[in-house]
Amino acid sequence: MRLFVLFLFFCSLNGAFASEREFIIQPNKTTEVYLKDTLSKDLKNAFGLLSRHLAELNKAELTQIINPGPTTRIYLKQNRKLHPDGFKITIRENKMTIEGGTRKGTTYAVVHLLEILGCKKTGPNMGHHGIWEEIAFSCGVIEDKPANDVRIINLYYPEDTEYRDWMRLNTIEEIYPDGYFVHTFHRLVPREIYFQDHPEYFALVNGKRTADQVCPSNPEVKKIISGKLREEMSKQPDKQKWSVSQNDNFSYCQCDKCKNIIAEEGSPAGPIIHLVNDIAKQFPDKIISTLAYQYSRKAPAKVKPRKNVEVMLCTIELHRHAPIETNPECADFKKDMEDWGKICSNIFLWDYTINFNHSISPFPNLHILQPNIQFFTKNHVNALFEQSNSTIGYEFSELKVHLLSKLMWNPNLDFEQEKQSFLPTCYGEGYQYISQYIDALEKNLKETESKLWIYEHPVVHQNGLFQKNA
């Protein structure tokens, strides 16, 4: 079988003109590939990925050369003008140039080409590809970049390197320093060191000092955090984002100074943002990340995060049966989201798409994934963390990870088409029954006006117990 990739399809993302000329990769023949920077991990990874899969598709062999010449046909290089994960593919009759941003753009360009050729990944060590006598691309240019700079799905599937690259996902370790991703007050101001001699460094709650949180308005706390960060940054100089964020509890400080700031700002986030702004000012070449989570979720009325401050906004309290933007129950979060979007252009959205208590039970929330991600991105979210069920045996884990990954890259894709094209590849001949089952769950959810909660037991849905009045 000969594969001809229509140029109008290939270049649909940038609307380039069509051409009848072709770039052809012959089976059982060697094609020279030039890597402009042989030390680049991304270029080497992209070359390996392309080489392995072309060998499977039509037994084509790629060979890496040191110096390009008249017989060189594929060029891999980085382009600093592109988004770090973006890419540009230029195809001429005898030459294909694959350019990527400085992070993983070239790898993602190769993934894009392989997907056009029919290669699919449905999970770690799971996938599909055809076999072709000849591969031909029409000449032209294609460019693409993600809607979100950071795209993380938590749990185990993305631990597989090739699967993660195929899904165009990042990891916490790529972006954040070891130990400084989230909930870092205890690490920055250790209670074991300071609490006994300086309880005033910690939160005053109901008239008593507790080591649960720091006091963000205490000037000595600010000095300790700055010194600790400076020390840690020297150990991990390549990391740009550093978390200065509340511990995972509700014990925020109520000392007189913090209370006054809270009253002025209308939110317990006020003292935290004041602290984080002061820290960020001392490290202008870094990004200081903090949480808008539970008690600090509401945006402050007056203070605005500095440009090098990242706000992690979390959706933990919400039900998952309807889109956030149109669900009246989510009106307070919707306002918080919009308020943060007005004062901060650097928002990390921590979302939850899983039932933590019963991950194998039905949790029909696929229909809200796209509208929620669209809502996030239009409110200045540029980083997404989806805490999801990406583990073997969990409810539709392969499908959900695939859809989330695609949506984080392009929130406006054709969702139904993406879902229906994935089902037969992953689930085989019985996929139509799975599709009907998914539709039946969603239909029943809407008809019974049931809610979905991320810590629920499945028995709450027995006989419609967990309905709109729950």
Side-chain angles (χ1 to χ4, degrees):
M1 182 187 296
R2 180 179 185 275
L3 174 67
F4 175 66
V5 182
L6 291 176
F7 182 71
L8 287 175
F9 169 75
F10 179 71
C11 292
S12 61
L13 291 177
N14 72 341
F17 60 88
S19 168
E20 294 182 357
R21 294 177 301 145
E22 300 174 73
F23 178 90
I24 297 173
I25 300 175
Q26 299 284 359
N28 301 305
K29 290 189 177 180
T30 300
T31 299
E32 291 184 353
V33 181
Y34 172 63
L35 278 62
K36 188 170 184 180
D37 180 2
T38 56
L39 298 179
S40 166
K41 291 182 180 179
D42 183 41
L43 295 188
K44 289 191 289 187
N45 187 56
F47 172 77
L49 194 65
L50 186 62
S51 181
R52 288 195 303 276
H53 285 276
L54 286 184
E56 293 178 349
L57 284 167
N58 75 340
K59 297 184 180 180
E61 182 179 344
L62 302 185
T63 182
Q64 181 182 337
I65 59 169
I66 299 176
N67 297 307
T71 57
T72 305
R73 304 196 61 223
I74 299 178
Y75 293 72
L76 299 176
K77 62 180 183 178
Q78 288 188 327
N79 183 343
R80 294 185 177 276
K81 294 181 180 180
L82 298 173
H83 182 284
D85 285 335
F87 57 83
K88 178 180 180 181
I89 305 169
T90 305
I91 300 179
R92 299 174 185 166
E93 193 169 347
N94 293 307
K95 178 180 176 182
M96 176 186 288
T97 302
I98 303 172
E99 302 174 77
T102 54
R103 193 158 63 186
K104 287 194 173 181
T106 315
T107 292
Y108 297 153
V110 167
V111 168
H112 183 80
L113 287 173
L114 293 174
E115 286 182 331
I116 288 176
L117 298 178
C119 299
K120 295 182 180 181
K121 281 280 185 183
T122 55
N125 302 313
M126 296 185 290
H128 165 80
H129 66 82
I131 298 176
W132 310 102
E133 292 180 3
E134 183 180 86
I135 295 172
F137 292 103
S138 292
C139 299
V141 179
I142 185 171
E143 293 187 65
D144 199 9
K145 64 179 181 179
N148 291 283
D149 296 339
V150 176
R151 304 164 306 282
I152 300 173
I153 295 179
N154 199 36
L155 289 183
Y156 306 114
Y157 276 177
E159 291 179 359
D160 181 271
T161 302
E162 184 167 321
Y163 177 74
R164 183 172 67 242
D165 286 346
W166 204 281
M167 295 295 104
R168 308 181 193 184
L169 296 172
N170 308 117
T171 65
I172 294 170
E173 293 75 18
E174 288 175 18
I175 310 298
Y176 295 89
D178 183 27
Y180 289 88
F181 170 54
V182 72
H183 300 312
T184 59
F185 277 171
H186 72 285
R187 184 179 291 270
L188 293 164
V189 188
R191 64 194 71 180
E192 299 83 2
I193 297 175
Y194 295 105
F195 186 71
Q196 183 173 347
D197 295 333
H198 294 282
E200 71 276 13
Y201 293 174
F202 296 86
L204 184 71
V205 181
N206 297 325
K208 293 180 64 176
R209 293 289 175 177
T210 172
D212 289 351
Q213 302 282 2
V214 302
C215 171
S217 65
N218 188 302
E220 292 303 313
V221 168
K222 186 193 310 179
K223 291 179 183 178
I224 292 169
I225 290 176
S226 298
K228 182 65 172 178
L229 282 178
R230 191 168 283 108
E231 175 188 339
E232 293 296 320
M233 287 175 181
S234 67
K235 299 175 184 177
Q236 303 181 65
D238 59 318
K239 300 298 185 181
Q240 289 298 111
K241 291 189 178 184
W242 292 79
S243 177
V244 177
S245 59
Q246 69 202 58
N247 299 328
D248 197 1
N249 58 63
F250 292 87
S251 304
Y252 65 90
C253 187
Q254 300 161 23
C255 72
D256 288 343
K257 192 169 183 180
C258 283
K259 282 173 65 176
N260 289 336
I261 298 173
I262 290 170
E264 183 179 2
E265 297 289 354
S267 170
I272 296 174
I273 296 300
H274 279 281
L275 168 67
V276 170
N277 276 350
D278 289 343
I279 300 297
K281 189 176 181 179
Q282 299 178 53
F283 302 99
D285 60 331
K286 303 292 186 181
I287 294 174
I288 305 301
S289 178
T290 198
L291 280 165
Y293 172 62
Q294 294 181 332
Y295 67 78
S296 64
R297 198 189 77 187
K298 184 180 179 182
K302 296 182 179 180
V303 66
K304 296 181 180 180
R306 289 176 60 88
K307 288 184 178 180
N308 64 323
V309 168
E310 173 185 82
V311 172
M312 283 187 171
L313 181 61
C314 306
T315 66
I316 193 168
E317 304 91 347
L318 307 184
H319 287 121
R320 266 69 190 174
H321 59 283
I324 292 170
E325 190 170 19
T326 58
N327 184 2
E329 295 179 2
C330 299
D332 56 342
F333 181 88
K334 179 175 181 288
K335 185 178 187 308
D336 292 343
M337 172 85 263
E338 292 170 344
D339 287 347
W340 280 111
K342 291 173 184 175
I343 65 173
C344 183
S345 58
N346 194 15
I347 299 178
F348 180 113
L349 199 290
W350 189 314
D351 193 23
Y352 306 78
T353 64
I354 181 177
N355 179 354
F356 285 107
N357 286 354
H358 290 271
S359 298
I360 64 172
S361 299
F363 198 69
N365 66 337
L366 296 179
H367 62 290
I368 72 165
L369 300 183
Q370 182 167 39
N372 280 355
I373 290 177
Q374 289 175 330
F375 174 62
F376 301 150
T377 53
K378 80 176 184 181
N379 282 284
H380 290 171
V381 169
N382 56 17
L384 269 172
F385 180 96
E386 292 288 352
Q387 196 148 1
S388 196
N389 52 330
S390 59
T391 303
I392 292 174
Y394 284 12
E395 184 247 11
F396 294 128
S397 50
E398 299 89 357
L399 174 62
K400 191 172 290 184
V401 171
H402 178 85
L403 293 174
L404 284 170
S405 302
K406 292 293 185 179
L407 287 168
M408 287 194 285
W409 184 277
N410 175 18
N412 299 316
L413 58 77
D414 187 327
F415 182 81
E416 192 60 27
Q417 178 180 325
E418 192 67 43
K419 183 176 73 172
Q420 294 303 328
S421 67
F422 180 84
L423 289 174
T425 304
C426 183
Y427 301 117
E429 293 182 0
Y431 78 92
Q432 67 269 27
Y433 302 111
I434 292 177
S435 180
Q436 292 169 14
Y437 173 71
I438 292 171
D439 292 342
L441 285 175
E442 183 179 332
K443 182 174 181 289
N444 182 266
L445 181 75
K446 292 178 179 178
E447 287 179 350
T448 60
E449 300 185 59
S450 295
K451 301 174 183 179
L452 292 178
W453 170 237
I454 64 175
Y455 292 106
E456 71 184 24
H457 191 284
V459 75
V460 301
H461 295 285
Q462 185 178 4
N463 300 321
L465 290 177
F466 199 8
Q467 295 183 1
K468 63 180 179 180
N469 295 321

